[in-house]
Amino acid sequence: MAENRLTREIETRDQAQRIKQWTPAQLLPDPLPEPGYGFRWIRTAIMGKVDPTNTSAKFREGWVPVKAEDHPEMQLYVDPQSRFKGNVEVGGLLLCKCPIEMIKQREAYYGRQASSQMEAVDNSFMKANDERMPLFSEKKSGVSFGRGSK
């Protein structure tokens, strides 16, 4: 009975694969990952007007424009009208990269900023406490839909 079976070399998975489904194109394509770097789209223009303030701030933070030649999969997205020749720009957004260590430091910095602001708000709120009407800080939020309870 083993004579009716196909050999392993003849069997392929091509016949068992599903037909690829159509999906809408991404507005901003993702570059292939590069070890040690994170990517981000930086705004260079808004409503057709250049935004040098934003671009300059991001460059000072450590973001570096991605060269199209370093990422051949992104060659289609090079804007011929771009101020950043040879880089990847789509609709006023420039693809940039930054070392992951710098990204983590930035996230930690803004995390500390947010927690110190919350602490200041809590201190200001609790300062006005009166025994007759005690205040408490409950840091939960909820979402409800509809008319609520009847």
Side-chain angles (χ1 to χ4, degrees), residues 19-110:
I19 297 172
K20 187 175 179 181
Q21 295 293 314
W22 179 88
T23 56
Q26 285 182 296
L27 292 177
L28 295 173
D30 293 327
L32 294 176
E34 193 174 321
Y37 286 95
F39 293 92
R40 182 174 177 183
W41 291 93
I42 304 295
R43 185 183 70 236
T44 60
I46 186 164
M47 297 184 69
K49 293 182 72 178
V50 295
D51 189 0
T53 307
N54 183 63
T55 310
S56 175
K58 299 306 180 216
F59 290 168
R60 288 191 312 270
E61 283 182 8
W63 293 96
V64 178
V66 171
K67 296 278 182 202
E69 62 195 33
D70 295 341
H71 286 270
E73 76 278 8
M74 305 295 279
Q75 289 282 348
L76 292 172
Y77 306 105
V78 176
D79 185 359
Q81 312 300 320
S82 174
R83 294 181 312 137
F84 301 94
K85 298 290 181 204
N87 295 319
V88 181
E89 187 174 12
V90 175
L93 297 170
L94 179 67
L95 181 62
C96 293
K97 67 180 180 179
C98 185
I100 290 176
E101 298 83 29
M102 293 288 285
I103 295 171
K104 288 180 181 176
Q105 289 174 15
R106 180 183 183 277
E107 288 171 356
Y109 171 80
Y110 283 113

Side-chain angles (χ1 to χ4, degrees), residues 106-124:
R106 180 183 183 277
E107 288 171 356
Y109 171 80
Y110 283 113
R112 288 190 303 272
Q113 292 284 97
S115 64
S116 71
Q117 287 174 353
M118 277 307 299
E119 188 178 326
V121 167
D122 288 345
N123 289 340
S124 176

